[in-house]
């Protein structure tokens, strides 16, 4: 990163502050400040460190503010430069996961149980069975795969296997990084548990409730600390984490810190999706650094046809094929020519009709969740802000909602800040509806299992309208039909990981609103976060920590 405009005032202030306190002068001091500027900017972009050469390493070490492994503000380790805190997260996580990866369990005689849960598929490799067999014998299991490959189905069978073959009874926790992802994991467990090929008492011992990682660990806002840590570990024998691609370096380090000795950790996710918003690309690094503990599920059981072809083309960065797929007539994937607003309104027609009919909230939520607009950006052309504003204007002009009113029956909102006291969390989605139990008064309904939490609009913590949402916010969600809206100019947010994540939210159809040049640039840009985690994991998993 060399563009002067890419650096913030915070980056410049940080670099100047440390450079002034170094032992350096002249050209070396200037070079040191330039490295600090780059480190601060790259940290904000999600990298845990930056690459440095031998000459820069000598300058950094001569500053008096860096060492190779001590509690100094900076750590210069081999060819990498870290802020001390992120080096600590990475180093500690690598050591702990390396030790966990080496820990084995006696799997016993599993063949009969495995055959019961995973009937023979002939000569075809059953990757789910392979993952289950590995997971029973390992303390650390990483199960990756694209949409529809059966990650949660596989982990459900793994839990049943563990419960059948373990004494005493295991205590199991289910978790995900967001409330939305936790709810989807919970729904999958509940839906698939009755079909398990095991005794009723085994099914009864598999938990159905999934929590966010913050709730599992016992967040203590506004501090960055948790109730459960190395000194007060979690009480569980098995911890399952879904949507691990969304977990950042710091949170993963704190989770592993809180595991009790002898416990198992099972991580699920799609390594090709967007990395976490914060620092690191933990799932991708774990998959690369701990190959012996990783199984990739390769057969999709529900994700087929043109949507899969488009996702694969984008993931392989084949922009020509991807764009060609969008031009085919009568396809599940298409390009929207011109203004997408009419198409968006048409796809919300069932939802709007359910509200007009006075349908029950269950039906209204089901209709709303069949479709969503996914945007790359918050502001600008085809952004979340623009599309939400234009959809409301169009609905008002058609008489579908009351013009000029902030609140109306059918307004969808997303909570944008955690509020534990109200049991509302960042990413929770609610619908403003007429509440028959309160004389038709407008209230915002939030689903809570089979019930709804209903709040007056004025009581809500910070929120935003959500006819459209960012692709980042859509992670952990699934919709029948989506529109992907890209901007009219290339920007740093655009990447093939972003587009792949959006495409894989859809079950039935994908429509893309974008010009070819922008689409091609998006497919052509791959996000590669710089870290030392994968290399460290390979070292620490191969033998005793030194």
């Amino acid at each position: 990163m060399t563009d002067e405009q890419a650096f913030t005032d915070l980056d410049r202030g940080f670099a100047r502050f440390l450079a002034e306190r170094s032992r350096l002068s002249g050209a070396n001091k200037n070079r040191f400040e330039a490295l600090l500027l780059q480190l601060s900017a790259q940290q904000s972009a999600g990298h845990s460190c930056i690459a440095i050469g031998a000459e820069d390493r000598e300058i950094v070490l001569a500053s008096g503010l860096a060492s190779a492994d001590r509690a100094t503000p900076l750590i210069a380790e081999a060819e990498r430069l870290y802020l001390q805190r992120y080096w600590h997260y990475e180093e500690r996580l690598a050591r702990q996961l390396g030790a966990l990866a080496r820990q084995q369990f006696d799997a016993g005689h599993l063949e009969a149980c495995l055959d019961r849960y995973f009937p023979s598929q002939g000569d075809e490799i059953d990757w789910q069975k392979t993952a289950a067999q590995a997971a029973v014998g390992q303390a650390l299991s990483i199960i990756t795969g694209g949409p529809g490959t059966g990650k949660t189905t596989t982990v459900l069978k793994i839990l049943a296997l563990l419960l059948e073959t373990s004494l005493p009874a295991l205590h199991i926790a289910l978790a995900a990084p967001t409330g939305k992802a936790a709810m989807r994991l919970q729904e999958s467990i509940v839906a698939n548990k009755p079909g398990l090929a095991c005794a009723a008492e085994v099914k009864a011992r598999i938990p159905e409730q999934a929590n966010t990682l913050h709730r599992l660990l016992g967040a203590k806002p506004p501090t960055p600390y948790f109730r459960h840590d190395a000194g007060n570990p979690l009480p569980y024998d098995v911890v399952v984490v879904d949507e691990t691609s969304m977990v950042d370096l710091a949170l993963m380090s704190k989770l592993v810190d809180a595991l009790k000795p002898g416990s198992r950790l099972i991580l699920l996710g799609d390594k090709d999706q967007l990395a976490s918003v914060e620092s690191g690309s933990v799932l991708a690094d774990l998959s690369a650094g701990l190959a012996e503990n990783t199984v990739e599920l390769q057969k999709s059981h529900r994700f087929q046809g043109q949507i899969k072809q488009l996702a694969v083309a984008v993931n392989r960065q084949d922009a020509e094929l991807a764009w060609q797929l969008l031009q085919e007539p009568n396809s599940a994937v298409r390009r929207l020519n011109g203004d997408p607003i009419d198409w968006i309104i048409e796809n919300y027609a069932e939802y709007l009709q359910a509200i007009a009919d006075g349908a029950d909230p269950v039906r209204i939520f089901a209709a709303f969740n069949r479709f969503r607009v996914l945007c790359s950006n918050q502001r600008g052309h085809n952004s979340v802000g623009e599309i939400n504003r234009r959809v409301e204007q169009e609905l008002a002009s058609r008489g579908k909602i009351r013009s000029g009113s902030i609140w109306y029956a059918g307004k969808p909102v997303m909570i944008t800040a955690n509020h534990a006291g109200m049991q509302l969390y960042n990413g929770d989605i609610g619908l403003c509806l007429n509440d028959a139990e309160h004389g038709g008064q407008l209230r915002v309904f939030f689903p809570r299992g089979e019930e709804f939490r209903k709040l007056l609009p004025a009581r809500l913590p910070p929120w935003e309208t959500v006819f459209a949402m960012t692709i980042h916010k859509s992670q952990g969600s699934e919709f029948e039909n989506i529109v992907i809206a890209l901007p009219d100019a290339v920007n740093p947010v655009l990447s093939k990981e972003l587009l792949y994540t959006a495409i894989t939210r859809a079950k039935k159809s994908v429509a893309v609103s974008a010009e070819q040049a922008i689409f091609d640039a998006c497919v052509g840009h791959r996000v590669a976060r710089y870290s030392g985690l994968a290399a460290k994991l390979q070292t620490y998993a191969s033998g005793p920590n030194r």
Side-chain angles (χ1 to χ4, degrees):
M1 180 181 295
T2 58
D3 183 358
E4 182 70 16
Q5 297 302 313
F7 299 121
T8 67
D9 289 341
L10 182 61
D11 296 330
R12 296 186 184 92
F14 165 80
R16 192 179 307 114
F17 178 84
L18 284 187
E20 289 297 329
R21 284 153 180 79
S22 72
R23 300 170 182 167
L24 302 170
S25 62
N28 282 349
K29 181 180 177 181
N30 292 338
R31 179 56 185 163
F32 181 58
E33 185 171 343
L35 289 170
L36 293 171
L37 193 60
Q38 184 185 10
L39 177 61
S40 179
Q42 295 294 76
Q43 183 77 66
S44 299
H47 305 269
S48 59
C49 56
I50 61 170
I52 55 172
E55 186 176 342
D56 284 339
R57 176 182 166 83
E58 291 302 316
I59 292 173
V60 168
L61 291 174
S63 71
L65 299 175
S67 69
D69 58 4
R70 297 194 308 276
T72 49
L74 304 170
I75 300 292
E77 179 187 66
E79 72 285 0
R80 298 182 292 268
L81 177 63
Y82 296 83
L83 292 174
Q84 199 274 340
R85 180 171 53 148
Y86 287 91
W87 175 85
H88 174 79
Y89 285 144
E90 192 177 280
E91 178 73 11
R92 186 170 176 80
L93 180 60
R95 286 181 179 272
Q96 291 175 314
L97 286 182
L100 199 64
R102 297 196 308 273
Q103 187 177 341
Q104 303 289 313
F105 293 98
D106 181 7
H109 301 289
L110 280 179
E111 287 305 318
C113 289
L114 283 167
D115 289 343
R116 175 160 37 93
Y117 287 108
F118 303 94
S120 174
Q121 298 183 4
D123 295 333
E124 184 180 359
I125 296 175
D126 188 339
W127 292 105
Q128 293 187 7
K129 183 176 182 179
T130 301
Q133 187 168 18
V136 172
Q138 297 175 331
L140 175 63
S141 298
I142 304 160
I143 302 173
T144 71
T149 51
K151 295 183 289 293
T152 53
T153 303
T154 302
V155 83
L156 180 60
K157 294 177 181 180
I158 290 170
L159 295 179
L161 277 167
L162 290 173
L163 289 167
E164 279 196 54
T165 57
S166 299
L167 288 174
L170 299 173
H171 297 285
I172 300 167
L174 306 174
T178 67
K180 205 170 359 181
M183 184 62 68
R184 278 198 63 205
L185 174 61
Q186 186 170 303
E187 290 170 350
S188 179
I189 295 291
V190 170
N192 290 293
K193 192 162 71 166
L196 281 174
C198 62
E201 54 265 31
V202 174
K203 295 178 186 178
R205 287 157 57 195
I206 299 174
E208 295 184 352
Q209 181 174 350
N211 289 309
T212 65
L213 284 171
H214 283 78
R215 185 175 294 181
L216 177 75
L217 292 171
K220 296 162 66 174
T223 77
Y225 303 110
F226 294 95
R227 184 162 55 88
H228 291 290
D229 54 21
N232 180 32
L234 292 163
Y236 302 105
D237 304 294
V238 183
V239 176
V240 176
V241 181
D242 197 12
E243 297 288 354
T244 307
S245 64
M246 300 169 66
V247 182
D248 63 80
L249 177 64
L251 185 56
M252 182 60 75
S253 180
K254 292 175 182 181
L255 169 65
V256 175
D257 259 348
L259 296 177
K260 75 175 184 179
S263 62
R264 299 170 186 260
L265 179 62
I266 303 175
L267 303 175
L268 313 175
D270 185 344
K271 61 182 175 57
D272 295 318
Q273 280 191 29
L274 280 167
S276 59
V277 175
E278 303 296 333
S279 290
S281 51
V282 173
L283 181 60
D285 286 343
L286 264 58
S287 302
L290 296 172
E292 294 298 315
N293 297 77
T294 301
V295 176
E296 182 175 1
L297 306 183
Q298 299 178 26
K299 181 179 179 181
S300 181
H301 299 274
R302 63 162 174 79
F303 194 65
Q304 303 293 338
Q306 294 96 343
I307 298 178
K308 181 178 181 180
Q309 292 173 28
L310 181 62
V312 170
V314 167
N315 202 32
R316 292 177 178 171
Q317 295 187 279
D318 189 340
E320 183 179 354
L321 174 59
W323 188 255
Q324 179 182 330
L325 289 168
L326 295 176
Q327 314 308 313
E328 294 182 5
N330 304 316
S331 172
V333 301
R334 69 177 69 195
R335 182 205 173 201
L336 295 181
N337 292 305
D339 193 341
I341 294 299
D342 285 343
W343 180 266
I344 292 168
I345 299 295
E346 181 181 334
N347 274 274
Y348 275 125
E350 181 186 356
Y351 167 63
L352 297 168
Q353 188 60 51
I355 294 168
D357 292 344
D360 65 85
V362 173
R363 178 186 154 194
I364 292 173
F365 267 89
F368 179 70
N369 287 328
R370 290 191 181 102
F371 173 72
R372 199 61 42 84
V373 185
L374 306 182
C375 305
S376 60
N377 293 80
Q378 284 278 5
R379 298 287 177 265
H381 175 71
N382 264 359
S383 67
V384 167
E386 181 189 71
I387 288 179
N388 280 322
R389 175 179 55 78
R390 293 192 61 210
V391 166
E392 287 190 317
Q393 288 176 344
E394 186 63 25
L395 290 177
S397 71
R398 298 185 187 191
K400 300 291 185 181
I401 65 174
R402 190 168 55 192
S403 179
S405 177
I406 294 177
W407 293 101
Y408 52 85
K411 184 183 184 74
V413 298
M414 175 186 285
I415 301 301
T416 58
N418 293 331
H419 196 298
M422 299 184 72
Q423 299 178 8
L424 291 175
Y425 299 91
N426 188 5
D428 283 356
I429 290 179
L431 300 178
C432 185
L433 303 171
N434 296 115
D435 185 4
E437 294 181 358
H438 292 84
Q441 186 181 42
L442 286 176
R443 302 222 170 185
V444 183
F445 287 59
F446 292 91
R448 294 292 182 265
E450 297 181 357
E451 304 295 326
F452 291 93
R453 178 168 171 75
K454 298 181 284 188
L455 297 169
L456 291 169
R459 291 192 60 207
L460 295 184
W463 56 269
E464 61 186 27
T465 308
V466 72
F467 286 110
M469 64 196 299
T470 63
I471 296 168
H472 274 92
K473 291 279 190 180
S474 76
Q475 285 182 274
S477 298
E478 189 176 68
F479 311 100
E480 289 184 5
N481 310 297
I482 65 168
V483 166
I484 300 172
L486 299 182
D488 55 0
V490 175
N491 65 61
V493 169
L494 301 180
S495 69
K496 68 106 171 177
E497 290 85 359
L498 187 84
L499 195 53
Y500 172 85
T501 299
I503 294 164
T504 55
R505 301 308 91 206
K507 293 190 290 184
K508 290 186 177 180
S509 75
V510 174
V512 177
S513 175
E515 296 301 321
Q516 183 174 2
I518 305 300
F519 182 86
D520 288 352
C522 191
V523 175
H525 178 217
R526 178 177 176 270
V527 175
R529 288 189 169 175
Y530 194 71
S531 84
L533 183 58
K536 290 179 182 180
L537 286 167
Q538 290 175 339
T539 299
Y540 292 136
S542 64
N545 296 348
R546 294 184 290 275

